[in-house]
């Protein structure tokens, strides 16, 4: 695995964000919480209209984010959180043990261990971006990365119910992300929203047809 900066904890090579080893090491050492991009407070007004409190929600690559706990306290209790790091899942499950309806599972997002059409919503706040870090050119995906990304998105589509939504929060601009997301085999329709004023974050809402 690529080396890390010993003084600041920032990887010298961003491609390590796509590896399980990096996240396990990070979460063994990081006992706090961290939210990539935005918190639920920032996202609520944009995201909440797109799902219901009765929906079963999958959070892809939950990490040590406060997103699920804040959503739970807002009434969205049917949340299944997955992450490839055993350390972070164990810690988050313990910290949220009083949120009894929420689930925590160690799982690879490229091989989701759920039956077809299980969820109404799949949330992705930075997970696809992490998987894309080995990308050499922003304009196209090279192999084997292209196949890995297609597998990830196919798995997300597979576990969504018809009418279900894959909600992807990112700073990835539409001219880079749309070619990756808008493929016939994923069977979804895209709606694009933005958050922020000067620096935009993008919310891609992909509804399964």
């Amino acid at each position: 695995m690529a080396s890390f900066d010993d003084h600041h904890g920032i990887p010298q090579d961003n491609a390590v964000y796509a590896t399980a080893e990096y996240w396990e090491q990070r979460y063994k050492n990081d006992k706090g919480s961290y939210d990539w991009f935005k918190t639920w407070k920032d996202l609520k007004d944009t995201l909440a209209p797109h799902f219901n409190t009765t929906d079963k929600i999958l959070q892809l690559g939950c990490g040590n984010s406060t997103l699920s706990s804040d959503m739970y306290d807002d009434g969205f209790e049917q949340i299944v959180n997955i992450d490839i790091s055993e350390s972070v899942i164990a810690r988050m499950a313990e910290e949220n043990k009083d949120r009894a309806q929420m689930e925590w599972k160690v799982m690879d997002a490229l091989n989701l261990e759920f039956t077809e059409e299980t969820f109404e919503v799949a949330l992705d706040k930075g997970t696809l971006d992490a998987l894309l870090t080995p990308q050499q050119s922003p304009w196209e995906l090279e192999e084997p990365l292209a196949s890995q990304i297609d597998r990830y998105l196919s798995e997300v589509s597979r576990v969504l119910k018809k009418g279900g939504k894959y909600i992807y929060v990112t700073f990835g601009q539409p001219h880079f992300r749309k070619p990756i997301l808008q493929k016939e085999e994923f069977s979804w329709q895209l709606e694009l929203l933005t958050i922020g004023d000067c620096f935009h974050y993008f919310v891609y809402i992909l509804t399964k047809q």
Side-chain angles (χ1 to χ4, degrees), residues 98-159:
D98 292 334
R99 297 180 174 94
Q101 301 302 315
M102 195 150 57
E103 299 179 44
W104 302 87
K105 297 180 181 292
V106 178
M107 196 177 300
D108 183 351
L110 273 68
N111 295 282
L112 296 176
E113 300 166 21
F114 304 107
T115 57
E116 293 182 3
E117 300 190 10
T118 299
F119 298 94
E120 280 84 13
V121 178
L123 290 178
D124 178 336
K125 190 159 68 75
T127 297
L128 177 56
D129 290 348
L131 292 173
L132 284 167
T133 53
Q135 185 177 7
Q136 298 299 310
S137 167
W139 297 104
E140 62 179 347
L141 293 179
E142 310 81 12
E143 292 293 351
L145 181 60
S147 294
Q148 293 172 345
I149 298 303
D150 282 351
R151 180 176 179 84
Y152 170 69
L153 295 172
S154 294
E155 281 290 273
V156 173
S157 178
R158 181 182 65 80
V159 302

Side-chain angles (χ1 to χ4, degrees), residues 19 33 48 52 62 106 114 198 204:
T19 68
S33 63
N52 302 308
C62 61
V106 178
F114 304 107
C198 297
Y204 297 83

Side-chain angles (χ1 to χ4, degrees), residues 8-21:
H8 304 292
I10 299 173
Q12 297 176 1
D13 179 359
N14 282 343
V16 299
Y17 286 126
T19 68
E21 293 83 3

Side-chain angles (χ1 to χ4, degrees), residues 56-60 80-82 112 114 119 121-123 159:
K56 190 167 186 178
I57 299 168
L58 173 64
Q59 189 183 177
L60 298 148
V80 179
N81 302 276
I82 68 165
L112 296 176
F114 304 107
F119 298 94
V121 178
L123 290 178
V159 302

